[in-house]
Amino acid sequence: MTRSGYCWIALAFLAITSRLEAQQEAADAAWIRGDYSTARLAYEELLLRDPQSVRANYRLGILASWDGNLDSALVLVRHARAIEPDDTDLILGEARILAWAESFDDAIVRYDSVLTREPANHDARIARAQTLAWANRFGEADQAYRELLARDPDDRDAAAGRAQLAAWRGDLQGAIEGYEAVIEKDPANAVALAGLGQIYLWQGRFGEARAQSQRALEADPGNRAARQLDTAVQLETRVQPELTLGWSNDSDDNTAWWQTLGASTLLTDALRGFGSLGALEVSDPARNASRLSAEGGLSYGIGNAQATVAIGVRRMSPDVGSSRTSGTARLGAGYRFTPSIRASVSYAHYPFDETALLIDQNLTIDVLDLSLDYQLRPGLAASGAAGQVWYSDHNSRTSGLLALTQTVHRDFFAGAMIRGLRYEFKGVGYFSPDRFTLAEARGGWSRTWSPWHARVSGGLGVQQVGRSTRSQAEWHLEGRLGRNWTRFNVVEVFAGISNSAESSTTGAFRYRTAGIVIRLAL
């Protein structure tokens, strides 16, 4: 090749390098000023031109993690690490994403690898303590924060971390005081601002939660906790209409079509109003019937407590016999003892009108339910419930349930459930055995990849319908697929099939359902 040929190659290389540097400078400038949509586009263009760009891979991974696309985020950050495996910022970035994905042990291994080389690395120490807290290893997390504060009593990140620990242990007042102490010294501390706003959100103090989320985002637009708080606050404070269209059918040829339009909105800082309109068309081989319904109510939440009251009316029209109108009412109360323990009680009175035959029979029921939910540790949840139902034909039902669910991996879960119920006597037209027991192993998969989300779950177990009958296999399978078309609006389709006798009001041994849900936040 001639000397002029080499010169042309050199000039071309310099031109390409110059364009790449200009592209990265534009992307970096957008990132620094908090214009993340522009930064995303610029880094994506840079990655097309230079797939080995460490900066583009890393920052696109961070943006993907903010959107909840943790698998994509890990792929991008790990690609950057493959190019520069010893870069501390990349190791810390991968560890944070692993922690957000609840791979706590893997995250701690990476933090430890940084601290082995850099024992004084403050970012690694703080992030490691946070991960221990997320893993419910509260004692170790508290000790880590104490060591940081012993080194530097003015360490505001460690003080905010201890306030978060207090909140997760149920000491909300102590957490508020801890966050306020940090904010007094550092009014732009996004971690403390977002943490304080999260407590206000738990307490139903939505106006104050909104103020804290705005201050946190102004202080640090990229802070993940601040962004999550902002999304939660906006969702809680917007008008939220929901439309459901559904269908069900069982092996006794009971078919139902239903349509429900509901909405809720925040009326004051702690008071929410809600209402719904519904229509139901039901049929069996012998008859048809329909129902129109309306309900309105209020939900009030303050501190760790929440109460709900609602009243409504139903108009039932069988094709044989006269139409009638009946009132409905329900009351509920819940209390969150700690962020991981919540108990609730509810009472409801309404017509028993789920099939065409029941609409003909003019039955009403009174329902009392108690429940307890306990997050034993991250990924492991237990729940229990007990209930009593009184029927206007003088029948009654007693029931109980225990369930345990474990996240096996971020996308998979497994568990077990035991349920039992009994009726005083066999009623006419509805499932009412002298005893029904069900023991079931269950599991499923769920995944969110913006803008889509999906969930598939199922169970396999043993059921016994009646004291004198033999037990038989039980199974069920459900699926749900949804898509967000804006930040808050979503459409979902769902379908399910089961051979559980309890699934159908009549006790049929095959029950199918499907439908579509549209949720908005205006």
Side-chain angles (χ1 to χ4, degrees):
M1 182 179 292
T2 64
R3 181 178 299 176
S4 61
Y6 285 114
C7 289
W8 281 111
I9 292 173
L11 288 172
F13 176 78
L14 289 173
I16 292 171
T17 302
S18 178
R19 285 198 297 271
L20 292 175
E21 289 176 351
Q23 184 73 28
Q24 179 163 309
E25 288 174 2
D28 291 346
W31 180 276
I32 291 169
R33 66 175 181 267
D35 184 0
Y36 297 113
S37 59
T38 299
R40 185 194 302 272
L41 294 174
Y43 283 127
E44 286 174 347
E45 179 65 25
L46 177 60
L47 202 62
L48 286 174
R49 296 181 179 183
D50 180 14
Q52 300 301 104
S53 170
V54 172
R55 185 78 55 83
N57 276 285
Y58 175 62
R59 287 190 167 166
L60 285 173
I62 296 301
L63 291 171
S65 71
W66 290 351
D67 291 338
N69 299 327
L70 301 181
D71 287 339
S72 298
L74 283 172
V75 169
L76 288 161
V77 172
R78 284 170 172 169
H79 189 192
R81 278 206 65 199
I83 301 167
E84 295 187 10
D86 297 324
D87 186 286
T88 297
D89 288 338
L90 299 183
I91 298 172
L92 293 178
E94 181 186 9
R96 289 190 190 97
I97 296 169
L98 285 167
W100 294 340
E102 299 184 3
S103 296
F104 302 121
D105 291 340
D106 290 340
I108 289 171
V109 167
R110 283 154 180 79
Y111 289 131
D112 287 344
S113 72
V114 171
L115 291 170
T116 299
R117 296 181 305 168
E118 306 173 28
N121 189 301
H122 181 264
D123 289 343
R125 286 190 174 277
I126 283 290
R128 186 180 187 277
Q130 289 174 336
T131 302
L132 288 169
W134 293 341
N136 263 16
R137 294 161 65 177
F138 291 155
E140 295 174 74
D142 191 51
Q143 181 61 32
Y145 285 130
R146 286 178 181 274
E147 290 174 0
L148 285 162
L149 288 167
R151 290 169 176 247
D152 178 9
D154 197 38
D155 189 329
R156 293 156 193 172
D157 291 331
R162 291 204 73 204
Q164 185 180 63
L165 275 179
W168 288 353
R169 284 171 161 167
D171 181 11
L172 298 188
Q173 187 56 42
I176 291 173
E177 292 172 0
Y179 283 132
E180 288 177 341
V182 174
I183 294 168
E184 184 178 356
K185 296 178 181 178
D186 181 7
N189 189 296
V191 174
L193 291 166
L196 184 58
Q198 182 62 63
I199 292 177
Y200 291 154
L201 187 65
W202 288 342
Q203 295 180 328
R205 299 159 65 179
F206 298 110
E208 294 172 88
R210 183 194 296 113
Q212 297 303 319
S213 72
Q214 291 172 349
R215 289 179 63 189
L217 286 173
E218 289 172 3
D220 183 1
N223 184 275
R224 185 173 186 262
R227 292 165 67 89
Q228 289 179 328
L229 175 63
D230 179 62
T231 297
V233 169
Q234 289 199 47
L235 189 60
E236 288 289 345
T237 55
R238 292 182 176 213
V239 178
Q240 299 178 37
E242 178 176 302
L243 174 66
T244 302
L245 307 174
W247 163 90
S248 66
N249 173 263
D250 64 26
S251 53
D252 285 345
D253 289 328
N254 290 286
T255 299
W257 295 88
W258 70 90
Q259 307 86 42
T260 304
L261 176 62
S264 66
T265 186
L266 199 64
L267 301 175
T268 68
D269 200 34
L271 185 66
R272 178 176 294 279
F274 58 88
S276 65
L277 298 172
L280 173 72
E281 298 85 34
V282 288
S283 65
D284 62 31
R287 60 188 63 79
N288 300 298
S290 64
R291 181 193 73 200
L292 298 176
S293 62
E295 184 188 63
L298 298 170
S299 178
Y300 183 77
I302 190 68
N304 293 353
Q306 185 174 35
T308 300
V309 59
I311 58 173
V313 63
R314 295 186 185 181
R315 179 69 173 176
M316 290 153 286
S317 303
D319 61 354
V320 176
S322 58
S323 299
R324 66 184 185 281
T325 301
S326 180
T328 67
R330 57 188 176 96
L331 301 169
Y335 190 83
R336 187 173 293 279
F337 297 93
T338 72
S340 60
I341 302 176
R342 185 179 188 277
S344 63
V345 58
S346 65
Y347 165 79
H349 171 85
Y350 53 88
F352 193 21
D353 53 7
E354 297 180 31
T355 67
L357 177 58
L358 289 172
I359 289 178
D360 272 348
Q361 291 183 186
N362 192 19
L363 289 175
T364 60
I365 59 177
D366 293 272
V367 183
L368 179 64
D369 285 317
L370 304 171
S371 67
L372 177 68
D373 298 302
Y374 182 22
Q375 189 80 24
L376 299 170
R377 62 172 184 264
L380 180 61
S383 60
Q388 186 73 31
V389 181
W390 297 272
Y391 295 76
S392 58
D393 63 359
H394 305 297
N395 204 355
S396 66
R397 184 189 74 193
T398 303
S399 63
L401 176 147
L402 290 173
L404 194 68
T405 303
Q406 170 71 59
T407 300
V408 180
H409 180 64
R410 189 177 76 251
D411 299 331
F412 296 91
F413 59 91
M417 185 268 288
I418 300 174
R419 179 170 175 77
L421 58 85
R422 61 175 294 275
Y423 284 79
E424 287 297 316
F425 58 83
K426 184 172 179 58
V428 177
Y430 59 94
F431 179 64
S432 48
D434 57 358
R435 186 177 70 186
F436 174 82
T437 55
L438 170 64
E440 180 183 82
R442 49 178 53 180
W445 166 90
S446 63
R447 170 71 66 85
T448 296
W449 65 104
S450 184
W452 295 91
H453 60 271
R455 179 183 174 93
V456 178
S457 62
L460 180 63
V462 176
Q463 64 181 350
Q464 183 180 21
V465 184
R467 295 177 184 273
S468 60
T469 63
R470 298 179 62 183
S471 60
Q472 57 188 198
E474 177 272 347
W475 55 266
H476 67 92
L477 180 66
E478 301 93 32
R480 186 174 291 266
L481 176 65
R483 188 183 193 282
N484 288 72
W485 72 85
T486 69
R487 186 180 179 188
F488 302 105
N489 302 331
V490 62
V491 59
E492 291 182 341
V493 293
F494 63 87
I497 184 170
S498 174
N499 80 329
S500 173
E502 189 189 11
S503 297
S504 168
T505 303
T506 61
F509 285 96
R510 187 78 84 245
Y511 180 79
R512 299 164 285 268
T513 187
I516 183 170
V517 180
I518 300 173
R519 298 189 187 93
L520 307 175
L522 306 179

